[in-house]
Amino acid sequence: MVTYKSLSLTLGVHVNTAKQMLYHYLEHKRKESSPQLHATYLVTGKFVDNGQTCHRVSIVREDQLEDFKSKMSLIVSVHVYSVQKALLKDSGPLYSVDYDAVKDHLQNCSKYSAIQCPGAVPVSSLERQQALNAPNPPQSEPGNSGTNRETNTTSKAHPRPQKGIMGMFSKKSAVKSQNTSEEVKPEQKDEPAVVDSAKNKPAAKANPMMNFFGSQTAKKSVKAVKEEADQTSERKSPQPCEKSDGAAVQHQKDPRSKTKRAEDEDSEEDKMDKKKRRRIKKPEPDSSDEEVVPDSPPPQEALTRERSPKKETETVQPSNSHSGVKVRKRRRVLKSRTYLDADGCMVTEKGFESESYSESEEDFRAPKAAQREPFKAKANPGSKEDDKKSQKKAPASSNKGGKQASIMGFFQKK
Amino acid sequence: MIIQLGSGDLSYDPGFQADEAEASFFVNKNLTGFTILCKQLLQVIFCDACGKTMFSDVSAQKNGPSLLCSPASEEQGPTFERISLPYELYSDRYRVGQRSFSRQYAHIYAARLMQMRPLLAERAQQKWGSNVLIKKLCDLEPGEQCCIVGTLFKRMELQPSILKEISEEHNLLPQPARAKYISEADELILEDELQRIKLEGKFDKDKCVTGSVVAIYGAEKNDGKFTVEDFCMADLPLQTPRPALSSDRFVLLASGLGLGGHNADSMLGLQLLVDMVTGQLGDTGEQSGAAAISRVLLAGNLLSQNTQDKDASTKAKYLTKKTQAGSVEAIRVLDELLLQLVASVPVDVMPGQYDPTNYTLPQQPLHPCMFPLSSAYNTLQLVSNPFEASIDGVRFLGTSGQNVCDIQRYSSMDSHLEILEETLQLRHLAPTAPDTLGCYPFYQKDPFILEECPHVYFSGNAPTFESKLIKGPDGQEVLLVTIPEFSSTQTACLVNLRTLQCEPICFTAFSADKDEENEMNISH
C-alpha cells in the first residue's frame, strides 16, 4: 500500500508530484489491465448539512467517489490519496502507513509540502541548553563538575604511579574535599586481578547507570565512564581508573534530585544482592579462616568503591599480618565526612577513608573496626555472620598477641 | 495579489451588482490557463465584505490545474509561504508564580466585588436612571425602592458538600455524580461585603450561578427578604476596534484531540488535519488556502480521559512504582504530532482538564521538557488556560471549557454557546470559581474579570460546533465559538480574521459499513 505522503517522503519529491505520480501509475496499470489495483481519493469541498456549511475533507474509495462528489456543493480538490492491491474496507491501514512514513522522516516531514514557513526554524540544542541553563543551574553543574573532576583525576593519574607511596600522601591533600578518596596501594601484584575487575566494572556499571540518567546525560556519563576505562586500563594503573570512575559517577549521582534516590536505592540493593550472593558463596567453597577475615571490610554506602578496593584490602591485610615488619600502612577506617553538595545542602556521609597507621596499633583497632560493621544498614545476614565471626576472631587474636602485662612479670623479675 | 488584466474594460460603479455579471478574462502569460468568474474576481480585488468568504471559497478561487494528471517533468510543484502575522500574548495575568495555598478563598470574592462594584453602579444608573439609589445591605430600609450590588449565592440542596459527606449524624453515603445539581428548592441570596439577604421575585433563578456579581433593583419586604423587580449585569467591557484587514487570514481552532484514548478512528482524522494545515493535502488551491492559516490553537484536552490513572491516587506507591503512567506514551505521540505542525505553522497549546498540568484554574502551561522534539522550534507556544492573545490586532480570549461545563452543571442552561454569552454579559470568565470550580486563592485581584472585550471568545471541548456574532451595547462585536471535541466529532474550526466568521472543517474517512460512513457525516 502506498499513500502519496509515504511516496513523497520516500522518493523525496514534492507532495503534488507524488499525487500525480500515483495517478499516472494507476492509469498506466489500468491500461495494461494487470492485477486489480484499488485506489482511494481525497475529496475536499464545501458541504451543506442541515443548513450549515462546512468545509469537508474526506478520504473516499474509488467506487464512492462520484457519489460523494455529487453530494458536495462546491468541490475544491480531488486527488489520489493511495494505491493498494486489496480493496480496503476500513481506512485504518492508511493511517499506519502514513505514521510509519512520517516516523522515518520525522525531521523533514514538511520539506516536501506545499507550504514553507519561514519562522519555523529549529533552535539548536546548544542554544536551548543555554536558555535552560539560566533558570536551572543545579542541572548543569553536575555535568561541568563531573568533567572537571575527570580531567583533574586523570591528570593526577600520571604522576601517581611515578611517585609511588609518597604520591599517596600528597594526593590526599591535593584531592578536593568532594572527592571520595579511596584506598590506594601500590601493589603491583594486584594489578592484573584488579585490571580485570576494573574493566568489568565500567561495563557492568553502564547498565545500572543507564537506568537513572536521562537520555542526554546517559550518553555523557556512559561515554565518560567508558573513556576513562579505556584510557586507564591501557595505562595499567587500576587505581586511577576506579578512582576517577568512582568519583565521576559518584559525583554525578550526588546532586541528583531526590526522586532519583529511589532508583539509586534500587540499584544499590541490586548490588547488595550481588554482593550478598558473592559473599555467601565465598565461605562455602573455602571454609578457611583466611577467607573470613578478608570479608570483614564491611559493605559501604558508596557503590563505586566496593569491588576492587575490597579485593585489595582482602589481599593486603593477610599479607600485612604475615609480614610482621612494622610498616606504616594505610588502612580503611570508618569516618564521617561532611560536605556541601550541589544543592547547597550539607551532607554527612560515613565512609571508609584511608588512614595511615602503624602495625602496633592494629590489634586494638581491629576489634573496633569489626564492631563498626553492623552500622551499615544494608548489611545482609551473611555479612553479619561473618562480622560476628571476625569479631570473635579479632578479640581472640588480640588476646594472644596483646601487650597486656601478665601478672607473672611481677614475680619473674625476682 | 496582482493580476494583470488582459484587454477588457471592467466598469465598476456603486450600483454594480457583482452577481449579475459573468465574464472570463484571459490573464496575461504569467498566469496561463486561469479563468476566473467575474464575481469572485471582484471579491478578491475589492474585498467585498458582504460576501461570505469561507475557506472553501478562498481555496476554490486559487485553484490551479487538477492533480488528476501525469506529473510534469521539470517543475517541482508550487510552494506557498505561510502567512506570518503579528502576535502578542496577553496571558500574564494567568501565570501564577509563587503559589501559597495558606490563604482563604474568601479574598477572591472580596476582590471581585470591589472591582466590579463601580462598573455595576454605572450600569445601574444607565438602566434605571441616574438618580437611582444604590445602597449597601446594611443601610437598607424596608419598603424603599433601591438598587443593591452584590455577589449571588445559590443554595442548592443537591450540591455535593464534603461536610455533609463526612458528617456522622447524617450517615450519608457519598452522592453519585449527577448531570445537573439544580432543583426546585434552590434559593438565591445576595451577599455584599458585610451582609447577605434572601432574594425572591421575578427572575429566572435557574439561570443564575453562584459567584456572579449583579445589581438588583427592588425593595426589601418586612420579612427580611428582598423582592426583585429587575436586575442587570456588568455587560460587555469596552473593545478596541479591530483593524480592517485586506486579505483573508485564518486561525484554526481545535480541541479535545484525545490522544491516548481508545478511539483509533480519530487518529486518521487528526492526521488529515495536520496534513491539511501543513499543506500536503489537496490541490494547489487548497494548499494555497491552507497557507493563509496563520496559526493553530489547540484548546485543551490533548490527552484523553483514559490516560488519567484512576489508581494513581489511591494505590500505594510501591505497587505503582514500576508501571508507567498512561500519559507518557500519549505525550510522546503528541510530541510527534506537534513536531509535524510546528515545522510549518505557529501553534499555541493550551492545557485542558485531562492534561498533565495543575488542576486548578488558571492552568499553567505544559512544561517544554515533555516535548523534546517540538520544543526545538520557536513556533511552539505553550500557553496557559485561560488564554488571551492578539493575532494581527484581533483579540482572542478563551478557555478549554472547564468553566462552561461547570456552569452547565449548576444551572439550567445546556447550550455551551448560551453559557458563553452569559459569562460575557457577566463580564467574568468563571463565576463559579472557587465555589465549585477549582481555583487558586487569589487575593489582590480576580484575573477572571474581563477588562477588555475580546473579538473572538471561545471555549473548547464542546459537544458540537456553534458560533454566533453578538453585538454589545457600546458597539462591540464579538464572535462566540464553541470548539467541538475533535476525538468524537472530527471537526475543527477556522476563524476568518477579516470577516470574523467561523467555519467548521470536518474530516471523514470510510469504514467497514456504509451505514457507519453516513453516521460520520456530522450534523451540526
Side-chain angles (χ1 to χ4, degrees):
Chain A
M1 178 179 330
V2 180
T3 61
Y4 77 93
K5 197 155 162 201
S6 59
L7 189 69
S8 110
L9 284 172
T10 324
L11 293 181
V13 295
H14 194 271
V15 279
N16 289 356
T17 321
K19 294 168 198 165
Q20 289 168 332
M21 282 179 184
L22 279 180
Y23 179 79
H24 179 71
Y25 178 77
L26 203 62
E27 290 288 295
H28 190 62
K29 286 288 176 184
R30 292 249 167 100
K31 277 179 197 152
E32 285 180 8
S33 64
S34 29
Q36 269 285 327
L37 279 182
H38 296 98
T40 58
Y41 288 83
L42 186 91
V43 182
T44 65
K46 208 150 107 169
F47 183 76
V48 182
D49 189 22
N50 294 351
Q52 184 161 67
T53 52
C54 73
H55 186 79
R56 184 105 170 247
V57 175
S58 319
I59 301 181
V60 290
R61 287 204 294 261
E62 203 166 3
D63 41 351
Q64 300 158 342
L65 180 62
E66 292 308 316
D67 187 36
F68 223 81
K69 275 161 78 168
S70 59
K71 282 189 196 156
M72 307 269 254
S73 63
L74 171 68
I75 296 183
V76 175
S77 61
V78 180
H79 66 78
V80 182
Y81 189 83
S82 76
V83 172
Q84 61 274 343
K85 286 215 177 98
L87 180 68
L88 273 185
K89 289 262 166 54
D90 189 38
S91 43
L94 290 173
Y95 172 68
S96 36
V97 168
D98 268 345
Y99 182 75
D100 294 331
V102 167
K103 217 159 167 190
D104 294 332
H105 301 91
L106 208 50
Q107 285 307 325
N108 51 354
C109 44
S110 273
K111 206 164 135 190
Y112 306 111
S113 97
I115 300 178
Q116 298 298 327
C117 180
V121 175
V123 177
S124 74
S125 56
L126 189 64
E127 291 168 25
R128 243 193 320 152
Q129 274 289 322
Q130 287 169 358
L132 286 173
N133 272 347
N136 296 331
Q139 290 243 334
S140 58
E141 268 174 39
N144 291 340
S145 52
T147 48
N148 281 344
R149 207 153 300 103
E150 287 154 26
T151 51
N152 281 341
T153 50
T154 46
S155 61
K156 274 185 222 137
H158 289 286
R160 208 184 294 131
Q162 297 159 13
K163 288 184 186 171
I165 296 178
M166 293 314 292
M168 287 188 300
F169 290 97
S170 62
K171 170 196 64 101
K172 187 154 192 188
S173 52
V175 160
K176 282 187 221 170
S177 62
Q178 290 166 329
N179 256 340
T180 60
S181 53
E182 298 180 2
E183 180 176 25
V184 173
K185 293 197 178 146
E187 265 72 30
Q188 300 301 315
K189 56 187 170 185
D190 288 329
E191 276 183 25
V194 184
V195 162
D196 290 341
S197 67
K199 272 190 190 156
N200 291 337
K201 224 168 45 99
K205 222 188 291 181
N207 286 337
M209 289 307 169
M210 284 296 276
N211 292 341
F212 49 86
F213 282 113
S215 59
Q216 282 184 353
T217 51
K219 290 177 197 161
K220 275 191 213 163
S221 68
V222 171
K223 246 194 269 175
V225 167
K226 282 191 179 152
E227 273 171 22
E228 290 172 329
D230 292 341
Q231 289 170 8
T232 52
S233 55
E234 286 169 10
R235 266 182 267 125
K236 285 187 190 167
S237 48
Q239 291 90 354
C241 168
E242 77 242 337
K243 184 184 177 21
S244 48
D245 248 356
V249 175
Q250 161 82 0
H251 232 279
Q252 280 171 358
K253 224 171 35 108
D254 278 341
R256 286 277 151 204
S257 61
K258 286 180 189 145
T259 53
K260 302 272 184 194
R261 292 274 167 82
E263 296 162 307
D264 287 1
E265 284 161 5
D266 272 349
S267 52
E268 277 184 347
E269 282 164 4
D270 291 343
K271 297 233 167 184
M272 286 303 144
D273 288 344
K274 287 183 199 162
K275 273 206 343 234
K276 178 189 192 174
R277 268 182 258 122
R278 202 163 60 83
R279 290 160 65 85
I280 289 172
K281 267 190 204 160
K282 258 200 161 177
E284 288 164 11
D286 300 310
S287 50
S288 64
D289 291 345
E290 284 197 356
E291 292 303 320
V292 176
V293 171
D295 277 344
S296 63
Q300 298 140 23
E301 275 182 359
L303 293 174
T304 55
R305 305 170 241 140
E306 271 103 29
R307 298 201 184 141
S308 31
K310 245 180 54 141
K311 277 192 183 168
E312 279 182 80
T313 55
E314 291 157 22
T315 47
V316 160
Q317 277 195 357
S319 62
N320 268 351
S321 48
H322 291 326
S323 61
V325 174
K326 224 180 188 181
V327 177
R328 195 127 190 106
K329 294 270 184 205
R330 297 199 75 83
R331 180 190 57 138
R332 310 196 59 80
V333 169
L334 179 62
K335 273 198 176 164
S336 288
R337 213 172 21 91
T338 311
Y339 65 93
L340 275 176
D341 79 353
D343 289 325
C345 311
M346 284 191 67
V347 180
T348 304
E349 267 194 6
K350 277 188 182 169
F352 271 80
E353 305 218 36
S354 298
E355 196 203 346
S356 63
Y357 73 105
S358 67
E359 184 92 31
S360 53
E361 300 161 39
E362 180 199 355
D363 297 329
F364 284 122
R365 299 216 185 222
K368 283 187 197 168
Q371 278 166 12
R372 294 238 183 98
E373 292 154 25
F375 275 166
K376 298 297 173 172
K378 292 163 192 145
N380 22 37
S383 67
K384 275 192 181 151
E385 288 170 29
D386 294 343
D387 292 351
K388 283 177 192 161
K389 280 185 198 166
S390 55
Q391 273 182 348
K392 285 179 198 163
K393 295 271 173 203
S397 59
S398 68
N399 280 339
K400 282 176 189 169
K403 290 191 291 188
Q404 188 180 5
S406 156
I407 199 167
M408 296 311 293
F410 178 75
F411 299 110
Q412 275 174 10
K413 269 185 184 168
K414 262 193 178 169
Chain B
M1 141 171 139
I2 300 171
I3 303 177
Q4 289 180 6
L5 298 173
S7 60
D9 197 10
L10 184 65
S11 65
Y12 181 82
D13 57 54
F16 190 74
Q17 288 296 316
D19 301 16
E20 296 163 78
E22 187 179 65
S24 48
F25 280 75
F26 286 104
V27 212
N28 78 355
K29 58 184 185 297
N30 290 337
L31 296 164
T32 46
F34 250 93
T35 50
I36 309 169
L37 290 173
C38 186
K39 162 183 159 191
Q40 288 163 339
L41 172 64
L42 283 175
Q43 271 189 348
V44 167
I45 295 177
F46 297 105
C47 291
D48 187 359
C50 308
K52 291 184 91 178
T53 20
M54 310 285 263
F55 181 73
S56 327
D57 300 319
V58 172
S59 310
Q61 285 163 19
K62 301 180 186 173
N63 226 335
S66 165
L67 284 175
L68 289 172
C69 64
S70 304
S73 43
E74 343 82 22
E75 71 198 54
Q76 248 294 358
T79 359
F80 305 98
E81 199 166 286
R82 174 81 59 191
I83 195 165
S84 151
L85 298 178
Y87 170 80
E88 242 187 278
L89 195 63
Y90 289 115
S91 301
D92 285 341
R93 67 215 317 248
Y94 304 118
R95 298 297 298 264
V96 182
Q98 275 269 339
R99 292 153 182 263
S100 154
F101 285 89
S102 57
R103 267 180 254 119
Q104 293 286 323
Y105 280 93
H107 301 296
I108 308 181
Y109 288 118
R112 199 182 287 179
L113 186 58
M114 198 166 69
Q115 212 174 333
M116 296 197 65
R117 186 180 272 278
L119 308 167
L120 277 165
E122 202 186 308
R123 288 276 179 223
Q125 283 173 342
Q126 279 175 7
K127 193 163 178 185
W128 300 308
S130 49
N131 52 355
V132 64
L133 284 168
I134 301 178
K135 284 195 145 182
K136 296 226 164 150
L137 283 179
C138 47
D139 303 327
L140 271 186
E141 289 180 32
E144 193 186 359
Q145 289 277 356
C146 61
C147 161
I148 47 175
V149 174
T151 317
L152 277 179
F153 177 76
K154 188 153 100 171
R155 184 186 304 176
M156 296 171 275
E157 274 300 311
L158 297 172
Q159 181 178 355
S161 161
I162 187 70
L163 295 175
K164 278 190 202 159
E165 272 179 38
I166 61 176
S167 157
E168 285 182 4
E169 56 188 51
H170 286 260
N171 282 335
L172 278 180
L173 295 165
Q175 210 182 35
R178 300 164 67 102
K180 287 218 181 278
Y181 292 99
I182 52 173
S183 73
E184 279 300 309
D186 294 338
E187 289 177 334
L188 265 186
I189 298 161
L190 191 81
E191 292 185 9
D192 74 355
E193 294 93 347
L194 298 172
Q195 288 185 353
R196 53 168 24 199
I197 192 164
K198 267 202 200 141
L199 298 177
E200 59 180 15
K202 44 176 185 167
F203 56 89
D204 191 356
K205 68 171 192 268
D206 285 331
K207 262 184 96 172
C208 307
V209 283
T210 305
S212 19
V213 185
V214 292
I216 299 194
Y217 187 71
E220 185 191 351
K221 281 213 319 248
N222 284 333
D223 62 353
K225 292 192 190 168
F226 196 89
T227 316
V228 177
E229 286 171 30
D230 200 4
F231 74 100
C232 85
M233 299 187 274
D235 228 331
L236 280 70
L238 289 177
Q239 186 186 61
T240 44
R242 63 188 166 94
L245 301 171
S246 52
S247 62
D248 289 307
R249 296 101 185 260
F250 297 92
V251 172
L252 184 85
L253 304 173
S255 81
L257 302 184
L259 293 169
H262 302 313
N263 185 9
D265 295 338
S266 69
M267 294 307 291
L268 181 58
L270 207 54
Q271 190 62 50
L272 286 179
L273 173 77
V274 171
D275 284 346
M276 192 210 78
V277 172
T278 54
Q280 301 188 9
L281 218 56
D283 280 348
T284 42
E286 176 105 11
Q287 287 163 343
S288 72
I293 298 179
S294 64
R295 205 159 192 97
V296 172
L297 178 63
L298 299 174
N301 280 355
L302 308 155
L303 265 50
S304 141
Q305 192 178 6
N306 295 329
T307 59
Q308 304 265 298
D309 289 329
K310 282 169 262 176
D311 303 333
S313 46
T314 49
K315 254 186 167 173
K317 260 290 191 248
Y318 69 94
L319 287 171
T320 55
K321 194 151 70 159
K322 301 284 184 182
T323 53
Q324 201 185 53
S327 45
V328 172
E329 178 65 25
I331 284 279
R332 196 188 55 81
V333 174
L334 176 66
D335 190 27
E336 285 171 6
L337 196 81
L338 282 179
L339 177 67
Q340 295 174 47
L341 271 180
V342 294
S344 168
V345 65
V347 183
D348 286 319
V349 181
M350 284 169 66
Q353 193 180 355
Y354 307 122
D355 292 328
T357 183
N358 58 315
Y359 164 75
T360 52
L361 282 191
Q363 283 185 302
Q364 301 302 293
L366 298 166
H367 200 282
C369 73
M370 292 194 282
F371 306 108
L373 298 168
S374 40
S375 55
Y377 288 80
N378 57 0
T379 41
L380 179 73
Q381 284 262 7
L382 297 162
V383 293
S384 59
N385 167 35
F387 165 75
E388 191 170 359
S390 151
I391 303 173
D392 203 19
V394 178
R395 217 174 164 101
F396 279 71
L397 171 66
T399 63
S400 297
Q402 291 114 315
N403 54 336
V404 174
C405 288
D406 200 58
I407 296 177
Q408 192 187 18
R409 273 198 289 263
Y410 293 98
S411 78
S412 60
M413 296 185 276
D414 267 323
S415 153
H416 280 234
L417 198 69
E418 196 187 336
I419 297 173
L420 260 191
E421 195 175 344
E422 190 76 11
T423 57
L424 198 59
Q425 302 218 323
L426 281 171
R427 212 189 278 209
H428 200 278
L429 271 179
T432 51
D435 186 36
T436 44
L437 186 63
C439 166
Y440 175 75
F442 295 104
Y443 69 105
Q444 279 175 339
K445 61 188 292 266
D446 187 347
F448 299 119
I449 299 178
L450 273 69
E451 281 172 5
E452 195 182 318
C453 190
H455 298 106
V456 179
Y457 185 46
F458 63 89
S459 91
N461 299 298
T464 54
F465 166 79
E466 282 169 303
S467 86
K468 188 169 152 184
L469 194 67
I470 63 169
K471 304 253 190 264
D474 303 316
Q476 300 103 330
E477 216 181 35
V478 187
L479 172 70
L480 302 176
V481 182
T482 57
I483 312 175
E485 207 177 342
F486 196 86
S487 54
S488 50
T489 59
Q490 312 282 293
T491 313
C493 330
L494 269 180
V495 175
N496 186 335
L497 294 179
R498 185 177 67 86
T499 60
L500 260 200
Q501 278 168 356
C502 190
E503 182 190 0
I505 299 193
C506 50
F507 300 89
T508 52
F510 55 88
S511 56
D513 303 42
K514 277 225 165 140
D515 295 325
E516 253 179 51
E517 185 201 318
N518 287 332
E519 269 173 41
M520 279 174 88
N521 299 348
I522 293 91
S523 51
H524 299 287

